[in-house]
Amino acid sequence: MPGLTRHLHYYIDMALPFFYINSFNGEEFITLDEDTSRHIVQVLRMDAGEQLNLTDGKGTIWASEISEPHKKNCQVKVISSSYKDPALRNVTIAISLLKNTNRFEWFLEKATEIGISEIIPLICERTEKEKFRWDRMNTICISAMLQSQQCWLPVLHEPIQFGDLVMRQFDTTERFIAHCEEGDKKPLPHIQITKSSNHLIVIGPEGDFTKEEIDLALQNNFSPVSLGENRLRTETAGVVAATLLMYR
C-alpha cells in the first residue's frame, strides 16, 4: 500500500492489541476469521472506530480500525503499514519432542517470546513421544508472538529424525550440540557470538543424547557445548540456549 507507510508515525501504536492474519493482498478492508472476530468483539468488547494492529508474522504491521464489529466476521479498515527487519542474529533450535506435551508447548511459547527464528522438533533415540500436532503447536507460537507484540513468527518445522538433521546442510555459521556427557565441551556463555550471525543448537530428550548421536553430530561439524553446571530439563535447556544465543 504505497503512500500509507509515509504516515505510519501517526498510526502505529504498539500499545494496541495485536492480531494475526495469514496473508494480505493490499485491500483496504479485511474480514477477520471467526476466532479472531469473536475475541475482538465478545472478549475484548471492542467496537467500531477502535484501533488494533494486524501482523502476518513476516515483519509487517498494519494499523487498522474496526468498521464492522461482527462476532463472526469482524471487518477492519487498514490505515497504515510498517515493516520491521528481522533480527540480525538468526537462531535455530532443534529440540527433542517430550513425553509431557505441556512442557514442550511451554518451550514453544517462551522461545517465541525470546525471538528465535526457527524451531525444529527432533526425534532422537531416547525420545519417548513422536506424536506432533503441528496446527496446535503453531497456534501456540502465534499467540506468544502476539502477546509479546512481535511481528516475526518463528518457522515451526515438522519433526525430523536426529540423524537426518545433523547431516543436513544448514546456512549457519555455528552448529552446537548441548549434551551432558563428560568430555571436552565449551560453556556456551563463554563463546563469542557476533551480532550478525546464524546459529543452530540441538537439545536432547529426557535421558540426553546417546553416545552414538553425539559422535555423529561431532563428525558433522557440531561443536559440543555445556549450558552450565546444573542438569536442566529439555525445555529449560532450550530456553537457556535461546537466551544465550539471542541476547549476547
Side-chain angles (χ1 to χ4, degrees):
M1 298 181 63
L4 287 177
T5 308
R6 206 169 39 218
H7 303 291
L8 63 91
H9 57 281
Y10 290 119
Y11 300 108
I12 301 296
D13 183 352
M14 299 298 284
L16 294 175
F18 272 60
F19 298 95
Y20 176 74
I21 54 174
N22 283 312
S23 61
F24 176 67
N25 298 317
E27 60 267 37
E28 183 179 5
F29 291 91
I30 300 174
T31 300
L32 304 177
D33 63 54
E34 185 172 343
D35 286 343
T36 302
S37 298
R38 184 182 302 109
H39 189 77
I40 289 172
V41 177
Q42 291 192 312
V43 178
L44 297 182
R45 299 188 180 279
M46 298 181 73
D47 207 342
E50 293 192 71
Q51 294 189 356
L52 50 85
N53 292 322
L54 302 175
T55 182
D56 59 356
K58 298 176 183 177
T60 303
I61 301 173
W62 291 277
S64 306
E65 181 177 283
I66 298 173
S67 55
E68 294 288 342
H70 193 281
K71 65 181 180 180
K72 289 189 175 181
N73 47 13
C74 180
Q75 187 180 75
V76 300
K77 179 180 180 181
V78 177
I79 300 173
S80 65
S81 65
S82 174
Y83 180 79
K84 183 178 180 180
D85 291 325
L88 291 175
R89 186 175 296 168
N90 184 306
V91 174
T92 299
I93 294 190
I95 183 169
S96 172
L97 292 172
L98 298 172
K99 184 177 181 180
N100 186 328
T101 303
N102 290 335
R103 285 167 49 193
F104 192 82
E105 292 176 355
W106 179 87
F107 163 75
L108 291 178
E109 180 182 87
K110 301 312 170 188
T112 300
E113 290 177 13
I114 291 168
I116 68 172
S117 302
E118 296 185 54
I119 301 168
I120 305 175
L122 284 181
I123 300 174
C124 307
E125 287 292 331
R126 292 172 177 156
T127 298
E128 296 189 48
K129 184 175 183 178
E130 300 183 8
K131 186 177 181 181
F132 184 78
R133 296 172 57 192
W134 186 89
D135 288 344
R136 173 176 170 78
M137 300 299 182
N138 195 57
T139 298
I140 289 170
C141 292
I142 291 172
S143 296
M145 174 190 69
L146 298 175
Q147 182 67 35
S148 54
Q149 297 195 332
Q150 299 183 69
C151 54
W152 280 99
L153 180 68
V155 176
L156 178 63
H157 295 263
E158 291 284 355
I160 183 173
Q161 295 288 334
F162 177 82
D164 294 336
L165 174 92
V166 298
M167 291 186 285
R168 179 186 290 182
Q169 295 297 317
F170 285 91
D171 183 21
T172 53
T173 55
E174 289 286 351
R175 301 179 181 191
F176 303 112
I177 178 170
H179 65 82
C180 301
E181 292 289 324
E182 295 294 330
D184 184 19
K185 296 182 292 185
K186 185 176 290 187
L188 188 58
H190 296 172
I191 295 175
Q192 184 174 358
I193 305 295
T194 58
K195 186 174 182 180
S196 179
S197 55
N198 298 325
H199 297 281
L200 166 68
I201 188 165
V202 293
I203 306 292
E206 298 101 328
D208 202 13
F209 294 112
T210 63
K211 185 179 185 304
E212 291 74 20
E213 287 174 325
I214 295 170
D215 290 343
L216 181 62
L218 299 183
Q219 292 165 13
N220 285 274
N221 302 314
F222 280 75
S223 301
V225 297
S226 68
L227 301 177
E229 296 182 2
N230 298 340
R231 191 178 182 94
L232 306 175
R233 286 180 180 267
T234 295
E235 70 275 16
T236 308
V239 170
V240 170
T243 304
L244 289 173
L245 291 173
M246 284 296 299
Y247 295 119
R248 288 193 298 113

PDB file of all heavy atoms in Angstrom, residues 31-43 46 66 68-75:
ATOM      1  N   THR A  31     -11.722  -8.774   6.279  1.00  0.00           N
ATOM      2  CA  THR A  31     -12.645  -9.502   7.136  1.00  0.00           C
ATOM      3  C   THR A  31     -11.857 -10.556   7.899  1.00  0.00           C
ATOM      4  O   THR A  31     -11.217 -11.424   7.302  1.00  0.00           O
ATOM      5  CB  THR A  31     -13.761 -10.172   6.312  1.00  0.00           C
ATOM      6  OG1 THR A  31     -14.489  -9.163   5.603  1.00  0.00           O
ATOM      7  CG2 THR A  31     -14.716 -10.927   7.226  1.00  0.00           C
ATOM      8  N   LEU A  32     -11.880 -10.480   9.200  1.00  0.00           N
ATOM      9  CA  LEU A  32     -11.089 -11.365  10.040  1.00  0.00           C
ATOM     10  C   LEU A  32     -11.795 -12.706  10.238  1.00  0.00           C
ATOM     11  O   LEU A  32     -13.017 -12.805  10.084  1.00  0.00           O
ATOM     12  CB  LEU A  32     -10.832 -10.699  11.393  1.00  0.00           C
ATOM     13  CG  LEU A  32     -10.153  -9.317  11.320  1.00  0.00           C
ATOM     14  CD1 LEU A  32     -10.022  -8.711  12.715  1.00  0.00           C
ATOM     15  CD2 LEU A  32      -8.775  -9.427  10.661  1.00  0.00           C
ATOM     16  N   ASP A  33     -11.023 -13.738  10.595  1.00  0.00           N
ATOM     17  CA  ASP A  33     -11.623 -15.059  10.786  1.00  0.00           C
ATOM     18  C   ASP A  33     -12.498 -15.070  12.044  1.00  0.00           C
ATOM     19  O   ASP A  33     -12.478 -14.149  12.859  1.00  0.00           O
ATOM     20  CB  ASP A  33     -10.545 -16.142  10.846  1.00  0.00           C
ATOM     21  CG  ASP A  33      -9.596 -15.973  12.017  1.00  0.00           C
ATOM     22  OD1 ASP A  33     -10.056 -15.871  13.172  1.00  0.00           O
ATOM     23  OD2 ASP A  33      -8.361 -15.958  11.789  1.00  0.00           O
ATOM     24  N   GLU A  34     -13.258 -16.156  12.195  1.00  0.00           N
ATOM     25  CA  GLU A  34     -14.259 -16.197  13.265  1.00  0.00           C
ATOM     26  C   GLU A  34     -13.641 -16.148  14.660  1.00  0.00           C
ATOM     27  O   GLU A  34     -14.153 -15.458  15.548  1.00  0.00           O
ATOM     28  CB  GLU A  34     -15.127 -17.447  13.122  1.00  0.00           C
ATOM     29  CG  GLU A  34     -16.277 -17.501  14.123  1.00  0.00           C
ATOM     30  CD  GLU A  34     -17.239 -18.626  13.853  1.00  0.00           C
ATOM     31  OE1 GLU A  34     -17.224 -19.177  12.726  1.00  0.00           O
ATOM     32  OE2 GLU A  34     -18.017 -18.956  14.773  1.00  0.00           O
ATOM     33  N   ASP A  35     -12.556 -16.887  14.876  1.00  0.00           N
ATOM     34  CA  ASP A  35     -11.928 -16.896  16.202  1.00  0.00           C
ATOM     35  C   ASP A  35     -11.424 -15.513  16.586  1.00  0.00           C
ATOM     36  O   ASP A  35     -11.625 -15.047  17.711  1.00  0.00           O
ATOM     37  CB  ASP A  35     -10.775 -17.899  16.235  1.00  0.00           C
ATOM     38  CG  ASP A  35     -11.264 -19.334  16.267  1.00  0.00           C
ATOM     39  OD1 ASP A  35     -12.450 -19.546  16.590  1.00  0.00           O
ATOM     40  OD2 ASP A  35     -10.464 -20.234  15.964  1.00  0.00           O
ATOM     41  N   THR A  36     -10.746 -14.844  15.637  1.00  0.00           N
ATOM     42  CA  THR A  36     -10.235 -13.503  15.905  1.00  0.00           C
ATOM     43  C   THR A  36     -11.382 -12.521  16.112  1.00  0.00           C
ATOM     44  O   THR A  36     -11.350 -11.682  17.024  1.00  0.00           O
ATOM     45  CB  THR A  36      -9.336 -13.023  14.749  1.00  0.00           C
ATOM     46  OG1 THR A  36      -8.257 -13.947  14.582  1.00  0.00           O
ATOM     47  CG2 THR A  36      -8.773 -11.641  15.030  1.00  0.00           C
ATOM     48  N   SER A  37     -12.417 -12.634  15.287  1.00  0.00           N
ATOM     49  CA  SER A  37     -13.584 -11.747  15.408  1.00  0.00           C
ATOM     50  C   SER A  37     -14.254 -11.902  16.764  1.00  0.00           C
ATOM     51  O   SER A  37     -14.605 -10.912  17.420  1.00  0.00           O
ATOM     52  CB  SER A  37     -14.590 -12.056  14.294  1.00  0.00           C
ATOM     53  OG  SER A  37     -14.036 -11.817  13.013  1.00  0.00           O
ATOM     54  N   ARG A  38     -14.421 -13.145  17.201  1.00  0.00           N
ATOM     55  CA  ARG A  38     -15.064 -13.390  18.490  1.00  0.00           C
ATOM     56  C   ARG A  38     -14.237 -12.793  19.631  1.00  0.00           C
ATOM     57  O   ARG A  38     -14.788 -12.206  20.567  1.00  0.00           O
ATOM     58  CB  ARG A  38     -15.240 -14.892  18.709  1.00  0.00           C
ATOM     59  CG  ARG A  38     -15.990 -15.223  20.010  1.00  0.00           C
ATOM     60  CD  ARG A  38     -16.112 -16.717  20.249  1.00  0.00           C
ATOM     61  NE  ARG A  38     -16.797 -17.375  19.152  1.00  0.00           N
ATOM     62  CZ  ARG A  38     -16.203 -18.188  18.280  1.00  0.00           C
ATOM     63  NH1 ARG A  38     -14.910 -18.437  18.391  1.00  0.00           N
ATOM     64  NH2 ARG A  38     -16.893 -18.758  17.318  1.00  0.00           N
ATOM     65  N   HIS A  39     -12.922 -12.940  19.537  1.00  0.00           N
ATOM     66  CA  HIS A  39     -12.070 -12.407  20.603  1.00  0.00           C
ATOM     67  C   HIS A  39     -12.159 -10.881  20.661  1.00  0.00           C
ATOM     68  O   HIS A  39     -12.232 -10.291  21.742  1.00  0.00           O
ATOM     69  CB  HIS A  39     -10.626 -12.835  20.379  1.00  0.00           C
ATOM     70  CG  HIS A  39      -9.725 -12.510  21.526  1.00  0.00           C
ATOM     71  ND1 HIS A  39      -9.698 -13.241  22.692  1.00  0.00           N
ATOM     72  CD2 HIS A  39      -8.834 -11.497  21.705  1.00  0.00           C
ATOM     73  CE1 HIS A  39      -8.831 -12.710  23.531  1.00  0.00           C
ATOM     74  NE2 HIS A  39      -8.297 -11.652  22.958  1.00  0.00           N
ATOM     75  N   ILE A  40     -12.172 -10.249  19.503  1.00  0.00           N
ATOM     76  CA  ILE A  40     -12.224  -8.791  19.449  1.00  0.00           C
ATOM     77  C   ILE A  40     -13.562  -8.267  19.973  1.00  0.00           C
ATOM     78  O   ILE A  40     -13.607  -7.344  20.793  1.00  0.00           O
ATOM     79  CB  ILE A  40     -11.992  -8.303  17.997  1.00  0.00           C
ATOM     80  CG1 ILE A  40     -10.532  -8.532  17.588  1.00  0.00           C
ATOM     81  CG2 ILE A  40     -12.367  -6.827  17.849  1.00  0.00           C
ATOM     82  CD1 ILE A  40     -10.261  -8.267  16.118  1.00  0.00           C
ATOM     83  N   VAL A  41     -14.650  -8.879  19.505  1.00  0.00           N
ATOM     84  CA  VAL A  41     -15.989  -8.336  19.794  1.00  0.00           C
ATOM     85  C   VAL A  41     -16.546  -8.817  21.136  1.00  0.00           C
ATOM     86  O   VAL A  41     -17.084  -8.027  21.918  1.00  0.00           O
ATOM     87  CB  VAL A  41     -16.965  -8.694  18.643  1.00  0.00           C
ATOM     88  CG1 VAL A  41     -18.378  -8.208  18.968  1.00  0.00           C
ATOM     89  CG2 VAL A  41     -16.477  -8.076  17.337  1.00  0.00           C
ATOM     90  N   GLN A  42     -16.388 -10.122  21.428  1.00  0.00           N
ATOM     91  CA  GLN A  42     -17.016 -10.665  22.630  1.00  0.00           C
ATOM     92  C   GLN A  42     -16.102 -10.653  23.856  1.00  0.00           C
ATOM     93  O   GLN A  42     -16.573 -10.439  24.966  1.00  0.00           O
ATOM     94  CB  GLN A  42     -17.489 -12.096  22.364  1.00  0.00           C
ATOM     95  CG  GLN A  42     -18.667 -12.167  21.397  1.00  0.00           C
ATOM     96  CD  GLN A  42     -19.302 -13.545  21.362  1.00  0.00           C
ATOM     97  OE1 GLN A  42     -18.612 -14.554  21.254  1.00  0.00           O
ATOM     98  NE2 GLN A  42     -20.621 -13.596  21.443  1.00  0.00           N
ATOM     99  N   VAL A  43     -14.805 -10.891  23.657  1.00  0.00           N
ATOM    100  CA  VAL A  43     -13.891 -10.943  24.794  1.00  0.00           C
ATOM    101  C   VAL A  43     -13.385  -9.546  25.147  1.00  0.00           C
ATOM    102  O   VAL A  43     -13.499  -9.096  26.288  1.00  0.00           O
ATOM    103  CB  VAL A  43     -12.706 -11.884  24.520  1.00  0.00           C
ATOM    104  CG1 VAL A  43     -11.731 -11.885  25.695  1.00  0.00           C
ATOM    105  CG2 VAL A  43     -13.207 -13.301  24.242  1.00  0.00           C
ATOM    106  N   MET A  46     -14.488  -4.747  21.868  1.00  0.00           N
ATOM    107  CA  MET A  46     -14.099  -3.602  21.044  1.00  0.00           C
ATOM    108  C   MET A  46     -15.238  -3.262  20.091  1.00  0.00           C
ATOM    109  O   MET A  46     -16.017  -4.128  19.684  1.00  0.00           O
ATOM    110  CB  MET A  46     -12.809  -3.908  20.287  1.00  0.00           C
ATOM    111  CG  MET A  46     -11.615  -4.163  21.199  1.00  0.00           C
ATOM    112  SD  MET A  46     -10.067  -4.510  20.307  1.00  0.00           S
ATOM    113  CE  MET A  46      -9.676  -2.863  19.677  1.00  0.00           C
ATOM    114  N   ILE A  66     -11.621  -0.779  13.407  1.00  0.00           N
ATOM    115  CA  ILE A  66     -12.808  -1.623  13.261  1.00  0.00           C
ATOM    116  C   ILE A  66     -13.910  -0.842  12.546  1.00  0.00           C
ATOM    117  O   ILE A  66     -14.280   0.261  12.951  1.00  0.00           O
ATOM    118  CB  ILE A  66     -13.316  -2.082  14.636  1.00  0.00           C
ATOM    119  CG1 ILE A  66     -12.247  -2.934  15.329  1.00  0.00           C
ATOM    120  CG2 ILE A  66     -14.610  -2.880  14.497  1.00  0.00           C
ATOM    121  CD1 ILE A  66     -12.590  -3.298  16.760  1.00  0.00           C
ATOM    122  N   GLU A  68     -16.791  -2.855  11.036  1.00  0.00           N
ATOM    123  CA  GLU A  68     -17.999  -3.646  11.289  1.00  0.00           C
ATOM    124  C   GLU A  68     -17.690  -4.651  12.393  1.00  0.00           C
ATOM    125  O   GLU A  68     -17.096  -5.708  12.137  1.00  0.00           O
ATOM    126  CB  GLU A  68     -18.440  -4.377  10.014  1.00  0.00           C
ATOM    127  CG  GLU A  68     -18.894  -3.474   8.888  1.00  0.00           C
ATOM    128  CD  GLU A  68     -20.243  -2.826   9.169  1.00  0.00           C
ATOM    129  OE1 GLU A  68     -20.973  -3.333  10.060  1.00  0.00           O
ATOM    130  OE2 GLU A  68     -20.560  -1.814   8.517  1.00  0.00           O
ATOM    131  N   PRO A  69     -18.075  -4.388  13.649  1.00  0.00           N
ATOM    132  CA  PRO A  69     -17.718  -5.263  14.767  1.00  0.00           C
ATOM    133  C   PRO A  69     -18.636  -6.481  14.895  1.00  0.00           C
ATOM    134  O   PRO A  69     -19.390  -6.618  15.862  1.00  0.00           O
ATOM    135  CB  PRO A  69     -17.850  -4.334  15.975  1.00  0.00           C
ATOM    136  CG  PRO A  69     -18.911  -3.360  15.576  1.00  0.00           C
ATOM    137  CD  PRO A  69     -18.755  -3.153  14.098  1.00  0.00           C
ATOM    138  N   HIS A  70     -18.555  -7.379  13.924  1.00  0.00           N
ATOM    139  CA  HIS A  70     -19.392  -8.575  13.951  1.00  0.00           C
ATOM    140  C   HIS A  70     -18.622  -9.723  14.598  1.00  0.00           C
ATOM    141  O   HIS A  70     -17.441  -9.935  14.323  1.00  0.00           O
ATOM    142  CB  HIS A  70     -19.813  -8.952  12.531  1.00  0.00           C
ATOM    143  CG  HIS A  70     -20.913  -9.957  12.475  1.00  0.00           C
ATOM    144  ND1 HIS A  70     -20.709 -11.305  12.661  1.00  0.00           N
ATOM    145  CD2 HIS A  70     -22.247  -9.804  12.251  1.00  0.00           C
ATOM    146  CE1 HIS A  70     -21.851 -11.952  12.564  1.00  0.00           C
ATOM    147  NE2 HIS A  70     -22.806 -11.068  12.310  1.00  0.00           N
ATOM    148  N   LYS A  71     -19.291 -10.492  15.475  1.00  0.00           N
ATOM    149  CA  LYS A  71     -18.594 -11.513  16.252  1.00  0.00           C
ATOM    150  C   LYS A  71     -18.117 -12.703  15.419  1.00  0.00           C
ATOM    151  O   LYS A  71     -17.282 -13.481  15.875  1.00  0.00           O
ATOM    152  CB  LYS A  71     -19.487 -12.015  17.385  1.00  0.00           C
ATOM    153  CG  LYS A  71     -20.729 -12.747  16.929  1.00  0.00           C
ATOM    154  CD  LYS A  71     -21.565 -13.191  18.125  1.00  0.00           C
ATOM    155  CE  LYS A  71     -22.817 -13.935  17.685  1.00  0.00           C
ATOM    156  NZ  LYS A  71     -23.637 -14.358  18.842  1.00  0.00           N
ATOM    157  N   LYS A  72     -18.634 -12.856  14.203  1.00  0.00           N
ATOM    158  CA  LYS A  72     -18.186 -13.967  13.356  1.00  0.00           C
ATOM    159  C   LYS A  72     -17.302 -13.520  12.205  1.00  0.00           C
ATOM    160  O   LYS A  72     -16.455 -14.281  11.731  1.00  0.00           O
ATOM    161  CB  LYS A  72     -19.388 -14.736  12.809  1.00  0.00           C
ATOM    162  CG  LYS A  72     -20.124 -15.551  13.860  1.00  0.00           C
ATOM    163  CD  LYS A  72     -21.156 -16.461  13.211  1.00  0.00           C
ATOM    164  CE  LYS A  72     -21.804 -17.360  14.260  1.00  0.00           C
ATOM    165  NZ  LYS A  72     -22.807 -18.285  13.651  1.00  0.00           N
ATOM    166  N   ASN A  73     -17.500 -12.327  11.732  1.00  0.00           N
ATOM    167  CA  ASN A  73     -16.681 -11.819  10.618  1.00  0.00           C
ATOM    168  C   ASN A  73     -16.470 -10.320  10.763  1.00  0.00           C
ATOM    169  O   ASN A  73     -16.985  -9.527   9.986  1.00  0.00           O
ATOM    170  CB  ASN A  73     -17.311 -12.151   9.262  1.00  0.00           C
ATOM    171  CG  ASN A  73     -18.789 -11.820   9.200  1.00  0.00           C
ATOM    172  OD1 ASN A  73     -19.322 -11.126  10.060  1.00  0.00           O
ATOM    173  ND2 ASN A  73     -19.447 -12.312   8.164  1.00  0.00           N
ATOM    174  N   CYS A  74     -15.685  -9.986  11.772  1.00  0.00           N
ATOM    175  CA  CYS A  74     -15.377  -8.579  12.050  1.00  0.00           C
ATOM    176  C   CYS A  74     -14.589  -7.989  10.879  1.00  0.00           C
ATOM    177  O   CYS A  74     -13.628  -8.589  10.384  1.00  0.00           O
ATOM    178  CB  CYS A  74     -14.555  -8.493  13.337  1.00  0.00           C
ATOM    179  SG  CYS A  74     -14.109  -6.807  13.810  1.00  0.00           S
ATOM    180  N   GLN A  75     -15.000  -6.797  10.458  1.00  0.00           N
ATOM    181  CA  GLN A  75     -14.309  -6.134   9.348  1.00  0.00           C
ATOM    182  C   GLN A  75     -13.524  -4.934   9.866  1.00  0.00           C
ATOM    183  O   GLN A  75     -13.998  -4.170  10.700  1.00  0.00           O
ATOM    184  CB  GLN A  75     -15.316  -5.672   8.294  1.00  0.00           C
ATOM    185  CG  GLN A  75     -14.651  -5.126   7.030  1.00  0.00           C
ATOM    186  CD  GLN A  75     -15.680  -4.663   6.004  1.00  0.00           C
ATOM    187  OE1 GLN A  75     -16.285  -3.610   6.159  1.00  0.00           O
ATOM    188  NE2 GLN A  75     -15.875  -5.464   4.962  1.00  0.00           N
TER     189      GLN A  75
END
